[in-house]
């Protein structure tokens, strides 16, 4: 039989060698998680500045702070011993059976004297006390103060998608696939460092690939670090076998956390013991750890096993000089006055493993280096977000030029779904994020469960953007959603003026750079979105190249022709 000559026989990833296999793995593992990874990276990037966002979302507090900006500084605490006595009296009267009392006696903004305790049903109870009399200060929420989750919304979404432990696991699996995509991407791009210095604008697919390579290589160490430390943060959840082996299957997690967080906590003896004055122990602790005392924790109060632990403050210089966020801690057995534990600032109670975990957590959350490091994380996070977005868009740009026929008769339908998800996951999520800020100003202040309505607004806007992307042609969807994003971002300062009376010049004049930074950042993103909408509008559609019959056929068919010819 005469062999049927086939110029190009479709190869499976395994037949094309390592780089082709890695390219296939990079493309498909990256595509299916790119939308979720984009959301995780974008919200994680915004979470770097969760406190300024919360500050902007609580304008009543911000304006109150501005009103007291010129007040004389608070005097240094000289009556800490008296405050400790007042807090102990309060706890003895109101919560005598609590296993733990925690007192914050240090004069810091907003915390003249505070007390915390373990609730019988679980969780913390708290009360702010008058530092002169010990009376409880009632903080009745006024109708003028809005209830909001603030910037912590982005923190929660970043690591759990607002879905609890299921969300934590989804993020973990996505992060592990991201590591696979990163490794396969490095193997695939043999000229990765050369490509980093190459960018060819207005070249369609080539431009998107150049942009994808550039932002990927620029922040590659950051991407590996942020993914690995994120997994290490919840390592006891993701790898539970060692915990179960050490503590048994029953209540393993609870026992592990007790050992981890309550190192050396004494067991009650049932023998009563009066609580001595705590100020002498605070003075000893300050000498031992070299830090001012922030918190005083009393375990098993009024029991002979009673232990007091003194915790220090991390000043800004501490966060600039070390990767561990652990403060100093000194513990004393009150029955004997003996020092039973000492942790110097930056060290760990649980040895090298505990210190490693603390460093990993601090690396992931930018808990060191101060404001400059936060800005570095912010821009690296944006680059990582861009890497996910350009990768998803590149998939469609390539398929728009030449279909790969991966899904047979359903290929074009799958491409349409991917295109819709690209628009909704990238532009739609950005609209939902700024829509969350708009909801903070538009939802009436006195609405019950107001913080929940802000979250509903976020997810509701995102769902509407998904529906819009599915109903409109791809190009029109991009233009309309980017245009809407630009309008929402650029008009946010106007909304703030209309809803609160505050304005950007006033924020700058009084030195409120947290509020001003949020609005200036939104305006910068608005200009970028407007530029993107204009670029999409100016783009001319290119005709899709029809593949030859032998190339459009399924890979199995091509292989079958070649086999028959050889027979």
């Amino acid at each position: 039989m005469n062999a049927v000559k086939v110029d190009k026989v479709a190869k499976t990833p395994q037949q094309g060698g390592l780089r082709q296999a890695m390219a296939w793995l990079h493309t498909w593992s990256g595509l299916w998680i790119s939308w979720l990874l984009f959301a995780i990276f974008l919200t994680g990037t915004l979470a770097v500045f969760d406190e300024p966002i919360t500050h902007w979302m609580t304008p009543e507090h911000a304006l109150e702070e501005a009103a007291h900006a010129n007040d004389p500084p608070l005097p240094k605490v000289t009556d800490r011993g008296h405050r400790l006595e007042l807090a102990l009296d309060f706890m003895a009267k109101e919560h005598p059976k609590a296993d733990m009392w925690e007192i914050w006696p240090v004069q810091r903004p907003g915390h003249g004297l505070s007390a915390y305790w373990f609730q019988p049903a679980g969780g913390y109870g708290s009360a702010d006390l008058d530092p002169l009399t010990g009376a409880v200060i009632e903080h009745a929420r006024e109708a003028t103060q809005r209830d909001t989750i603030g910037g912590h919304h982005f923190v929660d979404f970043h690591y759990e998608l607002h879905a609890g432990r299921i969300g934590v696991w989804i993020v973990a699996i996505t992060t592990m696939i991201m590591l696979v995509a990163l490794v396969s991407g490095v193997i695939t791009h043999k000229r990765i460092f050369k490509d980093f210095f190459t960018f060819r604008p207005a070249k369609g697919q080539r431009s998107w690939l150049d942009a994808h390579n550039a932002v990927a290589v620029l922040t590659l160490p950051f991407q590996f670090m942020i993914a690995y430390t994120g997994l290490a943060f919840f390592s006891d959840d993701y790898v539970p076998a060692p915990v179960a082996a050490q503590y048994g299957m029953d209540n393993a997690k609870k026992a592990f956390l007790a050992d981890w967080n309550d190192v050396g906590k004494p067991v009650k003896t049932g023998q009563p013991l009066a609580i001595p004055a705590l100020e002498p122990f605070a003075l000893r602790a300050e000498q031992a750890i070299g830090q001012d005392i922030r918190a005083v924790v009393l375990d098993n109060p009024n029991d002979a096993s009673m232990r007091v632990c003194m915790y220090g403050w991390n000043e800004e210089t501490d966060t600039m000089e070390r990767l561990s966020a652990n403060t100093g801690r000194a513990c004393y057995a009150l029955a004997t006055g003996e020092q039973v534990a000492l942790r110097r600032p930056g060290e760990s109670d649980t040895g090298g493993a505990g210190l490693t975990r603390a460093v990993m957590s601090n690396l992931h959350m930018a808990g060191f280096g101060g404001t400059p490091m936060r800005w570095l994380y912010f821009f690296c996070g944006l680059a990582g977000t861009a890497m996910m977005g350009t990768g998803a868009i590149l998939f469609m740009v390539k398929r728009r030029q030449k279909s790969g026929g991966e899904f047979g008769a359903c290929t074009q339908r799958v491409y349409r779904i991917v295109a819709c998800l690209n628009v909704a996951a990238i532009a739609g999520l950005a609209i939902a994020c700024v829509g969350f800020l708009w909801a903070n100003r538009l939802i009436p202040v006195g609405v019950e469960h107001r913080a929940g309505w802000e979250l509903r607004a976020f997810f509701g806007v995102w769902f509407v953007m998904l529906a819009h992307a599915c109903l409109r042609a791809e190009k029109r969807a991009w233009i309309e959603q980017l245009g809407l994003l630009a309008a929402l971002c650029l008009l946010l300062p106007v909304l703030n003026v209309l809803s609160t009376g505050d304005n950007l010049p006033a924020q700058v004049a009084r030195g409120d750079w947290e509020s001003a930074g949020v609005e200036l950042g939104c305006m910068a993103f608005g200009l970028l979105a407007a530029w993107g909408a204009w670029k999409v509008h100016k783009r001319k559609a290119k005709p899709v190249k029809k593949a030859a019959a032998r190339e459009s056929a399924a890979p199995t068919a091509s292989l079958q022709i070649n086999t028959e010819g050889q027979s």
Side-chain angles (χ1 to χ4, degrees):
M1 295 178 64
N2 295 328
V4 177
K5 184 177 180 181
V6 178
D7 294 335
K8 293 183 180 180
V9 178
K11 297 180 180 180
T12 64
Q14 293 78 7
Q15 292 175 315
L18 177 63
R19 288 189 63 248
Q20 183 169 337
M22 290 296 103
W24 178 89
L25 180 63
H26 182 75
T27 298
W28 292 105
S29 66
L31 175 67
W32 301 122
I33 64 165
S34 61
W35 304 300
L36 184 54
L37 268 179
F38 183 90
I40 293 171
F41 260 79
L42 179 59
T43 53
T45 301
L46 295 175
V48 171
F49 291 116
D50 65 312
E51 291 182 0
I53 293 173
T54 301
H55 178 81
W56 184 90
M57 295 181 71
T58 52
E60 296 81 15
H61 295 161
L63 293 174
E64 182 180 355
E65 290 176 9
H68 295 283
N70 296 324
D71 291 351
L74 295 170
K76 183 176 177 62
V77 173
T78 57
D79 60 344
R80 182 175 60 196
H82 178 61
R83 294 176 181 222
L84 287 171
E85 293 296 333
L86 291 175
L88 290 175
D89 289 343
F90 166 79
M91 296 299 294
K93 292 176 182 177
E94 301 296 333
H95 306 284
K97 296 183 179 180
D99 291 335
M100 187 278 296
W101 297 351
E102 181 173 340
I103 304 167
W104 288 50
V106 177
Q107 185 73 47
R108 295 274 174 153
H111 291 285
L113 178 61
S114 300
Y116 305 86
W117 59 92
F118 279 145
Q119 302 271 33
Y124 269 105
S126 65
D128 288 334
L129 308 178
D130 188 307
L132 297 178
T133 66
V136 177
I137 300 174
E138 298 292 342
H139 294 289
R141 177 170 291 279
E142 300 177 4
T144 57
Q145 295 180 349
R146 65 193 67 210
D147 180 26
T148 177
I149 190 176
H152 204 72
H153 153 62
F154 299 110
V155 178
D156 288 345
F157 188 94
H158 170 68
Y159 81 92
E160 66 164 14
L161 310 177
H162 286 295
R165 305 311 297 176
I166 294 177
V168 170
W169 272 95
I170 293 174
V171 171
I173 294 170
T174 304
T175 304
M176 286 185 269
I177 299 175
M178 172 190 168
L179 288 173
V180 171
L182 286 174
V183 173
S184 58
V186 171
I187 297 174
T188 298
H189 300 294
K190 62 180 180 180
R191 300 191 313 161
I192 188 168
F193 292 104
K194 181 178 179 180
D195 288 344
F196 168 63
F197 296 100
T198 303
F199 181 71
R200 286 151 284 193
K203 297 294 183 181
Q205 175 183 329
R206 184 71 255 179
S207 298
W208 284 108
L209 182 58
D210 287 346
H212 183 67
N213 288 339
V215 293
V217 177
L218 175 65
T219 59
L220 190 61
F222 176 83
Q223 310 304 337
F224 274 109
M225 181 276 293
I226 210 70
Y228 182 80
T229 54
L231 292 172
F233 193 83
F234 290 101
S235 57
D236 52 298
D237 282 329
Y238 302 149
V239 190
V243 177
Q246 178 68 24
Y247 296 96
M249 295 301 294
D250 297 332
N251 297 320
K253 179 73 172 180
K254 184 177 180 180
F256 166 73
L257 291 177
D259 272 1
W260 191 272
N261 297 320
D262 299 319
V263 180
K265 183 174 180 178
V267 179
K268 281 187 174 183
T269 64
Q271 300 297 320
L273 178 67
I275 302 174
L278 298 182
E279 177 62 12
F281 293 98
L283 294 174
R284 287 176 60 186
E286 286 180 334
Q287 291 293 323
I289 66 177
Q291 289 184 322
D292 291 337
I293 296 303
R294 162 180 59 101
V296 177
V297 177
L298 194 63
D299 293 316
N300 302 339
N302 295 309
D303 187 84
S305 64
M306 195 163 33
R307 179 189 71 166
V308 65
C309 291
M310 306 285 180
Y311 291 82
W313 280 101
N314 260 342
E315 304 294 349
E316 185 176 354
T317 54
D318 296 320
T319 62
M320 295 292 290
E321 294 173 356
R322 62 174 191 260
L323 289 178
S324 171
N326 290 339
T327 63
R329 186 182 81 142
C331 298
Y332 303 91
L334 294 185
T336 63
E338 178 188 3
Q339 180 176 288
V340 294
L342 176 64
R343 180 183 74 200
R344 299 193 181 279
E347 296 180 357
S348 173
D349 296 314
T350 50
L355 183 59
T356 300
R357 182 187 176 105
V359 170
M360 290 292 176
S361 301
N362 222 31
L363 274 173
H364 190 81
M365 297 186 291
F368 66 101
T371 301
M373 187 59 65
R374 288 187 174 274
W375 277 109
L376 178 62
Y377 269 59
F378 181 77
F379 287 116
C380 287
L382 286 181
T385 306
M387 179 180 72
M388 307 306 169
T390 53
I393 294 173
L394 178 61
F395 178 90
M396 281 310 303
V397 171
K398 291 174 66 176
R399 268 65 185 179
R400 192 181 297 117
Q401 299 301 316
K402 184 177 180 180
S403 171
E406 297 95 340
F407 304 98
C410 297
T411 296
Q412 293 305 317
R413 192 174 304 164
V414 172
Y415 288 173
R416 172 59 181 161
I417 294 174
V418 171
C420 293
L421 291 175
N422 277 351
V423 178
I426 298 173
L429 174 62
I431 292 171
C433 288
V434 71
F436 178 70
L437 301 182
W438 274 68
N440 177 261
R441 293 298 193 260
L442 294 178
I443 298 175
V445 174
V447 170
E448 189 176 0
H449 305 301
R450 189 179 179 284
W453 284 107
E454 289 182 356
L455 285 179
R456 294 183 186 98
F458 170 82
F459 287 106
V461 169
W462 199 3
F463 178 80
V464 170
M465 292 302 102
L466 173 61
H468 172 268
C470 294
L471 295 174
R472 300 289 284 168
E474 181 185 2
K475 182 177 179 179
R476 294 305 310 168
W478 276 113
I479 294 173
E480 291 165 3
Q481 292 203 17
L482 288 174
L484 176 60
L485 175 61
L488 292 175
C489 288
L490 293 173
L491 292 175
L492 186 68
V494 178
L495 174 67
N496 189 38
V497 173
L498 296 176
S499 58
T500 68
D502 196 15
N503 59 79
L504 186 56
Q507 294 164 1
V508 174
R510 66 174 182 260
D512 185 3
W513 289 105
E514 290 184 307
S515 297
V518 170
E519 297 192 7
L520 289 172
C522 274
M523 292 173 68
F525 281 115
L527 293 174
L528 183 62
W531 175 80
W534 178 79
K535 291 292 289 183
V536 175
H537 174 71
K538 298 292 289 184
R539 187 191 71 204
K540 295 182 179 179
K542 295 182 180 180
V544 178
K545 297 178 181 178
K546 294 183 179 180
R550 64 178 180 272
E551 295 175 342
S552 61
T556 52
S558 297
L559 290 171
Q560 183 179 2
I561 293 174
N562 191 48
T563 302
E564 290 177 352
Q566 291 177 349
S567 63

